[in-house]
Amino acid sequence: VLNWSYIAVISPIWSYTGLTYSPPAVFEWLLFSAIALAPALWIPIHLTRPSQWIYLYLYIAVHVPCCIVPLLRSGSSMGLGGPLGPLVWSLLGCMAALGLVYRIPLRAIRPIPVSPTTFWIGMIIFLLGSYALLFANYRNILNFVPSLDVRAQRMAGREVLGAMRVPLLSGYSMTLCAYSINPFLMAYGILTRKRWLVVIAITGQCFLYSCAANRAILAIIPLVFLLYYGTRYRRSFGTACMLIITTGTLAGTIVSLKRGTVAIEVTGVLLRTLIAPAHATHMYYDYFLVQPQTNFSHISGLGWLARNPYPDTSLGMVIGAATG
């Protein structure tokens, strides 16, 4: 489905971003597809630990596209020892190493007891404080823009962030509310049948989206519901997730065959979810095959490991400049 989606709608619509299509040799396509499928031999199907769905997501959204998209873009891996060979074999090794975690027996850890009253009061204070801080900074630009018109709102949000005295505080407030507290409130509200709690969490996500037009904040809402329904099938959780993702990708591709605004919107979701990470991985990989590597010196706190060859520019800007 991913192969067909890329060839049928992603490349024709988004080729100007570098998502071109060059037919690879059949043997190479079969080999890379086999490497993409290999982790399915050991990925847990039964849901027994919370982190398993993240492992499954890494497989679906990172491993499979990174095995397929670079090959379709370049048209050749240049043999098993060619440039793309080490990339896909490294990915496979990483997936295998992560899978070994589930072979380690769990140890019981007694949590630190916290009274429900303290827990909820602390959460409410942090949530209200964060919303107040964000409203004070973003109140002049708040706008719930359609998905296709996010660029202007994002630029306005970045200007606000750049003008803040303590941008780190605002960033953490938005991140913790959007990706931790509100999803927790949604999940708790769904499980306890407290619809008002779900409404509060969704309203909070809409407010956060209005600040900087980050689509990922809105994507959390359907994700929580999908996880809720998916966890009801714990004995076949992995299969259920694969069917949901595959069916969604198939339906989105079929809808997008008829070009137009809807096709751009739908393929944009597929692009951001499945294709763009693999595209970026390929660009970074190609660049650092021939350019100086950072050896982790670009990460804050690890600059002592080696000299950073790009001291004054983020790697995203470096790659962007190199690719025009």
Side-chain angles (χ1 to χ4, degrees):
V1 170
L2 182 66
N3 271 276
W4 178 60
S5 179
Y6 184 90
I7 296 169
V9 295
I10 297 295
S11 183
I13 294 176
W14 299 95
S15 59
Y16 72 93
T17 66
L19 292 168
T20 54
Y21 170 58
S22 299
V26 174
F27 170 75
E28 290 184 339
W29 178 81
L30 289 173
L31 176 64
F32 277 57
S33 296
I35 296 173
L37 289 169
L41 296 172
W42 65 76
I43 287 180
I45 294 177
H46 304 316
L47 182 63
T48 59
R49 304 187 192 183
S51 67
Q52 285 176 341
W53 85 265
I54 303 178
Y55 182 51
L56 187 64
Y57 178 80
L58 281 173
Y59 172 63
I60 297 171
V62 178
H63 178 74
V64 173
C66 284
C67 288
I68 300 300
V69 172
L71 182 65
L72 297 181
R73 286 186 68 226
S74 61
S76 173
S77 67
M78 300 182 188
L80 296 180
L84 290 182
L87 173 62
V88 294
W89 291 118
S90 298
L91 287 168
L92 184 61
C94 288
M95 289 299 296
L98 285 171
L100 291 175
V101 170
Y102 301 109
R103 303 293 180 182
I104 302 174
L106 289 174
R107 294 185 63 186
I109 300 175
R110 181 176 296 178
I112 300 174
V114 177
S115 70
T117 302
T118 303
F119 174 79
W120 285 108
I121 289 177
M123 180 174 289
I124 291 171
I125 291 175
F126 179 84
L127 199 61
L128 293 179
S130 296
Y131 285 164
L133 173 66
L134 294 171
F135 180 78
N137 286 291
Y138 289 93
R139 64 181 182 276
N140 294 325
I141 67 163
L142 288 175
N143 188 16
F144 194 91
V145 295
S147 183
L148 285 176
D149 303 323
V150 298
R151 183 170 297 178
Q153 183 68 10
R154 283 183 179 174
M155 294 304 297
R158 289 172 184 173
E159 289 180 4
V160 170
L161 189 64
M164 291 181 188
R165 292 184 178 180
V166 189
L168 194 65
L169 182 61
S170 177
Y172 272 114
S173 297
M174 181 174 292
T175 300
L176 288 172
C177 290
Y179 302 116
S180 181
I181 296 179
N182 283 339
F184 168 78
L185 293 177
M186 279 185 62
Y188 184 76
I190 293 171
L191 290 172
T192 58
R193 301 293 191 270
K194 295 178 180 177
R195 297 182 180 179
W196 59 271
L197 204 53
V198 178
V199 171
I200 288 176
I202 293 177
T203 303
Q205 292 295 87
C206 292
F207 165 71
L208 297 174
Y209 174 79
S210 300
C211 293
N214 187 342
R215 291 193 188 101
I217 293 175
L218 289 184
I220 290 292
I221 299 172
L223 177 62
V224 171
F225 281 97
L226 285 173
L227 283 173
Y228 167 68
Y229 288 108
T231 51
R232 298 172 72 180
Y233 304 97
R234 292 190 178 187
R235 295 189 63 82
S236 58
F237 179 77
T239 306
C241 283
M242 289 303 302
L243 287 174
I244 290 171
I245 296 295
T246 304
T247 303
T249 304
L250 180 63
T253 304
I254 293 173
V255 169
S256 302
L257 288 175
K258 186 176 181 180
R259 303 289 190 266
T261 303
V262 175
I264 296 175
E265 186 78 17
V266 173
T267 56
V269 174
L270 297 177
L271 183 75
R272 294 294 297 273
T273 307
L274 298 174
I275 307 298
H279 184 195
T281 299
H282 193 194
M283 288 194 295
Y284 274 68
Y285 184 71
D286 279 351
Y287 180 84
F288 287 111
L289 277 178
V290 295
Q291 299 294 337
Q293 299 178 1
T294 68
N295 297 312
F296 300 108
S297 62
H298 66 289
I299 300 174
S300 299
L302 297 181
W304 54 271
L305 290 177
R307 186 186 67 84
N308 184 2
Y310 316 97
D312 302 319
T313 311
S314 69
L315 294 186
M317 297 296 290
V318 171
I319 303 298
T323 57

